[in-house]
Amino acid sequence: RWVPLPEENEAILLDIAFPDSMIVNAGKRVYLLLHGINGDSNEGYVVDFAHRQVSQGNVVAVMVSRGLGDSTIIGNNLLHFARVSDVKAAARALKKAITTVSPDEGLLLAGVGYSMGAITLSNYVASDPDCDLDVAIAFSGALDTTQQMHFRRSASLWQPFITKAMRDTLFSRYSTQIRNKLDLKQVKEVMKAKNLVDFDRSLFVPYNNFESLDEYYYRMGAMSDFDVNSYKGRIGNVSIPLLCIQSLDDPISYW
């Protein structure tokens, strides 16, 4: 299913898995699942989650990040990970479908995010006090993404692999848009990036008109703006149950 984004002349892709009966009974759940940074609905953990939930009579809708998997981009608005409007549109479409088809069935709409999907999910829940989800669970997604630039172990161990995969994906599909927006020097910096911090700084920051890497990470994380003195920040907008599960020795995402 394609969910239109008329203000951008774009659309987001939801890959939806239903039970074999195509009937969703009262008390069951509809899951909005957000995958990792360079993934899609074919990732092993996504397929496993969908298979288990569908076999129990639930529905799983995977939001494919714009431009990845079978998703496409019509114009020049490539993906970036401080954007929560795509998740908002997906959640709203699913909530509308639930209330239209079975307004009295009590179906619960749950958000589930993994890694970068968890970061985006938490940020959406914190950014929208009227979010359409009933509950959200974030696995291995940093809440304060400004700390990611200090995570040296991740930068040297895992990020080089992820960076190459993301660069290959974007340049193989959207080289024209990137080269039209960035000058030759900037493109060379993107090609030289060895970790995600350098990749974010050289590509996502200038392409999406962020003033700096600090601003990009500040807007990405649900607690990146949290003030420890006043205890204020957008995390205070959370209006639904939000469960964050994180390994203390996570190799990719800084906790």
Side-chain angles (χ1 to χ4, degrees):
R1 173 186 169 91
W2 290 93
V3 178
L5 301 170
E7 67 280 1
E8 297 187 45
N9 194 31
E10 296 284 357
I12 54 175
L13 174 62
L14 291 179
D15 280 344
I16 305 178
F18 292 93
D20 290 339
S21 65
M22 297 299 290
I23 297 174
V24 184
N25 297 315
K28 295 300 182 178
R29 295 170 295 279
V30 177
Y31 291 98
L32 172 59
L33 191 149
L34 277 62
H35 57 71
I37 189 170
N38 196 36
D40 58 25
S41 54
N42 294 311
E43 298 295 315
Y45 59 90
V46 174
V47 174
D48 179 71
F49 181 91
H51 175 75
R52 290 172 181 269
Q53 295 303 324
V54 167
S55 68
Q56 298 174 25
N58 301 310
V59 175
V60 178
V62 181
M63 191 192 85
V64 181
S65 295
R66 63 168 76 183
L68 301 183
D70 292 330
S71 178
T72 188
I73 296 173
I74 300 171
N76 297 313
N77 290 326
L78 302 185
L79 82 167
H80 70 74
F81 300 105
R83 180 188 288 123
V84 297
S85 56
D86 290 3
V87 189
K88 181 175 182 177
R92 182 146 297 174
L94 290 172
K95 177 65 79 172
K96 181 179 180 181
I98 291 172
T99 55
T100 300
V101 175
S102 54
D104 301 319
E105 295 297 322
L107 295 179
L108 182 142
L109 178 58
V112 177
Y114 291 89
S115 193
M116 182 56 76
I119 293 174
T120 305
L121 178 66
S122 298
N123 196 25
Y124 160 61
V125 173
S127 300
D128 188 353
D130 299 315
C131 79
D132 288 293
L133 299 174
D134 298 307
V135 64
I137 306 112
F139 293 96
S140 299
L143 292 173
D144 182 359
T145 46
T146 62
Q147 298 301 313
Q148 191 68 25
M149 63 185 77
H150 308 301
F151 195 5
R152 292 191 295 271
R153 181 165 66 95
S154 174
S156 61
L157 184 60
W158 290 106
Q159 290 186 27
F161 300 99
I162 302 172
T163 301
K164 183 181 185 304
M166 176 61 75
R167 180 169 51 225
D168 290 349
T169 297
L170 293 180
F171 272 86
S172 66
R173 301 179 67 172
Y174 305 108
S175 176
T176 300
Q177 289 96 319
I178 294 172
R179 295 179 186 277
N180 284 342
K181 187 69 179 286
L182 305 185
D183 60 34
L184 181 59
K185 180 179 180 181
Q186 289 173 315
V187 171
K188 287 182 177 179
E189 289 299 314
V190 176
M191 303 307 292
K192 291 192 301 182
K194 296 181 179 180
N195 56 59
L196 287 176
V197 173
D198 289 343
F199 191 69
D200 289 342
R201 181 188 292 112
S202 58
L203 177 60
F204 290 122
V205 169
Y207 190 93
N208 295 286
N209 300 316
F210 290 103
E211 291 185 1
S212 64
L213 183 66
D214 288 334
E215 186 203 0
Y216 181 47
Y217 285 167
Y218 178 86
R219 291 176 55 182
M220 184 190 297
M223 290 188 69
S224 294
D225 66 338
F226 184 72
D227 188 323
V228 296
N229 296 312
S230 65
Y231 290 95
K232 292 183 178 180
R234 57 180 172 270
I235 194 70
N237 294 325
V238 172
S239 59
I240 63 170
L242 170 62
L243 173 63
C244 299
I245 301 174
Q246 182 85 13
S247 172
L248 290 176
D249 60 351
D250 191 295
I252 298 176
S253 183
Y254 190 94
W255 176 249

